[in-house]
Amino acid sequence: WLRPLFLASAAIGGLTFIVLAASVDPDRAWRIYHLNWLYWTGLSMGLVLFGAATTVAKGRWAVPLRRIGEASVAFLPVSLGLFLLSWLGRARIYSWIAQPITEPHVKAFWLRDGFMYGRVTFGLLLLFSIAIYFVYLGVRQDVAELKDKLPATHRPLYDRITAGWDSATGFVIAGEKRATIGPLVLIAYAVVMSLIAFDTVMSLSPHWVSNLLGAFFFMGAWLAGLMSLALLMMFWRRHFGIEDVITTKHLHDLGKLCFGFTVFWAYLLFSQFIVIWYGNMPEETQFLFLRMTRPEWKGISIAMIVLCFLLPFWGLIGAMPKKTPAIFATFAAISLCGLWVDRFVLGVP
């Protein structure tokens, strides 16, 4: 039932976007398009990052969960295509295209639409290529081990994946390559996601400056990946009846990660806020005042903090909620909604 539900949702969303962009409200259509691109791209990379991070950290407990997260690698080429498509609506997303920045000269040089799209596209290609290769190495191990038990309809694909596979040394070599590529995934993620934050979020308010935005953005995406992994883990665990493989201990361990990075998200938010507040520079404080004092944005900014931090913090602070699938799933869903609102508050005002 999930596939037709999601296909119907995608069709409704696509049709709504076309109607809005073509006639009704193009500005709103492209703003929401951009917002959702930021959210789902970050969430997908956060899921892939779980495999890389636990490989680097040698977290054996996470082995049954890695492929669940790494499956989101299939969205990365789609994400690249969606970013390139946003070129058509770039003037409605970025104000500096219609009103070019002239001072300072370095910012005028940096904020040019062709240059910006070129460097972000290059960054995405680099990050996605490394991530896809990292996942491919793991899937190759699985296919080599299970190929004879898999459906014959996809045998040509399995044969291509395992071409040149040496059963004696293949697993060791693939494991060593994943251990080597894992750190590159982490570094590329931090650099490219920071670039995305500076170019596609900060430039929405071209005179605002925050050095911490890159870290805040990519850690929010990582938290979204963890929370979505929790939901996927509980769904597939029950669907396939593999409670003996993905145990309560896995729920508890992943729950501790979700709780810890929920606190870290709040730490980064407060760090960004306190520096801007005490610096008291108009080009920085206007970003906060717009979201904290204007009645149309104040309520949703408060909702962001409640959904992203207060509710998940108190909901997951104990061991029992982390080990109880229904409770854990509830607060993971709340956090994911809050992180979408976070992207909304960052960009739309």
Side-chain angles (χ1 to χ4, degrees), residues 216 261-271 309:
F216 178 72
F261 282 100
T262 294
V263 176
F264 191 61
W265 177 92
Y267 163 75
L268 290 175
L269 178 71
F270 182 74
S271 298
F309 175 61

Side-chain angles (χ1 to χ4, degrees), residues 113-126:
D113 53 354
F115 185 31
M116 189 271 275
Y117 270 80
R119 62 179 177 265
V120 172
T121 300
F122 175 77
L124 290 173
L125 278 171
L126 177 66

Side-chain angles (χ1 to χ4, degrees), residues 25-38:
D25 194 345
D27 289 335
R28 181 189 182 103
W30 284 107
R31 282 197 300 267
I32 298 301
Y33 180 99
H34 180 63
L35 158 69
N36 279 294
W37 178 80
L38 290 170

Side-chain angles (χ1 to χ4, degrees), residues 182-194:
L184 296 180
V185 176
L186 301 182
I187 294 169
Y189 174 82
V191 173
V192 174
M193 294 297 280
S194 294

Side-chain angles (χ1 to χ4, degrees), residues 295-316:
E296 63 266 38
W297 305 119
K298 182 179 179 180
I300 198 165
S301 298
I302 294 172
M304 174 193 73
I305 296 172
V306 171
L307 293 172
C308 286
F309 175 61
L310 294 179
L311 290 179
F313 177 83
W314 290 111
L316 296 176

